[in-house]
Amino acid sequence: MSSASKPPAQPAADSSLTKPVNGEKADRIFRGIAYACGILILVVLAAVALFLLFRAWPLIGGDQRTNSEVIANFTGGKATGFWGYVGPLLFGTVLVAALALVIAFFVSIGIALFISHYAPKRLAAVLSYIVDILAAIPSVIYGLWGGLVLVPAIYPFWNWIAEHLGWIPIFAGPAANPPRTVATVALVLAIMILPIITSITRDIFLQTPKLLEEAALGLGATKWEMIKMSVLPFARSGIISASMLGLGRALGETMAVLMILSPGLKYSFRLLQASQNQTIAANIAAQYPEADNIGVSVLIGTGLVLFVITFLVNLLARRITEKASK
């Protein structure tokens, strides 16, 4: 048989094709790091929960008579049981945080829309820089400003509200002077969480696909109609996430509340009167220095309640975000 009729020789197998390429190795490494980081978050969360449960165990399984004496000492005899003690604190925490979110939400959305769609580029850059700086200011600075500047300055306004809107139970007077009240604290917390919500919402508004905006404008929509039809629906889940992040900070805020609010232990909606409510975090900071071992356990037990409430709020926000994104 001639050489021309011989079948062509098969090329030798390239050994490099049987080995993972560098991209596959990098992908496996990155996936492993991502899994480790996700597991680390769960480990830290479990460690915090176990720490709180362990330190609060004397309250749960210890001598209840001793616990009652400690709680009575904390409250001046107004409460002796744990739930009678933590209930008003939890009510005050949720009330202050909810009011702060209501005040900050619409203002934050307006500022974010102005920066992303209305302001000139130079002004938008300056405003974005200012918002990011405000988000990084420590809470103790807001507390000092609220206690030294806002409290004396805002009394005439709260007094006017009490005189003209006092027929509404939440604005019933007389307005406290100085106004170290829930209304003042909620206003300070609103200013505190406003940059956080604004910053995140602004970035989400800027990520709206230009094709959606141009399509709405091409169909004859005005700028506001374009925002209503394209920008807000696209950013709905992000707005909810930003709001819940701000709410989480308001729920756990300590120093600003401690420096401004005149504490009380009531289930009260009277926002303009002093000594009505108190928050869990501020109460822990106020009582901790003078608490003994059992007192610390009681305070950590209230912190455990706050931890559970914050976890449930974030879980609910996650569910709402998932529905909004569908």
Side-chain angles (χ1 to χ4, degrees):
M1 181 180 295
S2 63
S3 60
S5 62
K6 292 181 180 180
Q10 298 294 328
D14 188 356
S15 60
S16 63
L17 296 177
T18 62
K19 297 180 181 180
V21 296
N22 291 336
E24 294 177 349
K25 290 182 179 179
D27 184 67
R28 288 205 301 268
I29 293 173
F30 180 78
R31 183 168 57 247
I33 294 174
Y35 272 106
C37 291
I39 293 173
L40 179 62
I41 293 174
L42 297 177
V43 170
V44 171
L45 183 65
V48 172
L50 290 175
F51 165 78
L52 292 174
L53 187 62
F54 175 77
R55 293 299 304 271
W57 187 253
L59 170 69
I60 301 172
D63 184 5
Q64 298 303 312
R65 182 176 179 179
T66 303
N67 294 334
S68 297
E69 293 176 356
V70 171
I71 293 172
N73 184 48
F74 280 162
T75 63
K78 295 179 181 178
T80 56
F82 176 72
W83 291 110
Y85 175 49
V86 76
L89 296 176
L90 180 59
F91 175 83
T93 301
V94 174
L95 177 64
V96 170
L99 286 173
L101 180 61
V102 169
I103 296 171
F105 178 78
F106 297 101
V107 179
S108 300
I109 301 301
I111 297 174
L113 282 175
F114 178 75
I115 293 174
S116 61
H117 287 82
Y118 288 95
K121 288 186 177 180
R122 290 186 179 180
L123 179 59
V126 172
L127 290 177
S128 296
Y129 182 70
I130 293 174
V131 167
D132 292 338
I133 290 178
L134 290 175
I137 294 177
S139 60
V140 67
I141 303 300
Y142 286 104
L144 286 171
W145 172 79
L148 299 177
V149 178
L150 184 63
V151 166
I154 204 171
Y155 170 72
F157 176 72
W158 292 143
N159 188 52
W160 183 90
I161 292 290
E163 290 178 355
H164 294 83
L165 299 177
W167 52 272
I168 303 175
I170 60 174
F171 298 132
N177 187 18
R180 297 185 176 277
T181 60
V182 169
T184 305
V185 171
L187 184 58
V188 172
L189 293 187
I191 297 172
M192 185 184 303
I193 67 176
L194 187 146
I196 299 174
I197 303 174
T198 301
S199 179
I200 298 174
T201 307
R202 173 205 62 204
D203 292 340
I204 296 171
F205 287 162
L206 290 173
Q207 293 175 9
T208 305
K210 294 299 180 183
L211 289 176
L212 290 178
E213 298 181 1
E214 293 172 357
L217 293 173
L219 292 173
T222 63
K223 195 163 189 176
W224 165 242
E225 290 172 339
M226 177 272 293
I227 290 173
K228 186 171 62 174
M229 292 188 298
S230 301
V231 178
L232 294 180
F234 174 82
R236 184 183 297 119
S237 60
I239 292 172
I240 296 173
S241 298
S243 301
M244 292 303 104
L245 184 62
L247 178 62
R249 181 174 183 183
L251 284 171
E253 180 51 43
T254 304
M255 292 308 300
V257 179
L258 183 64
M259 298 169 72
I260 298 172
L261 184 63
S262 176
L265 203 65
K266 301 178 182 178
Y267 293 95
S268 174
F269 287 99
R270 298 181 181 274
L271 308 182
L272 303 181
Q273 297 182 10
S275 303
Q276 300 294 308
N277 306 103
Q278 175 68 304
T279 67
I280 292 177
N283 180 73
I284 293 174
Q287 301 285 2
Y288 185 83
E290 299 180 359
D292 56 11
N293 291 334
I294 301 299
V296 170
S297 297
V298 172
L299 296 176
I300 292 180
T302 63
L304 180 61
V305 173
L306 179 61
F307 175 81
V308 172
I309 294 300
T310 305
F311 181 80
L312 293 177
V313 167
N314 284 281
L315 181 62
L316 177 61
R318 183 64 181 174
R319 295 291 180 87
I320 296 174
T321 302
E322 290 176 353
K323 291 182 178 179
S325 61
K326 292 180 179 179

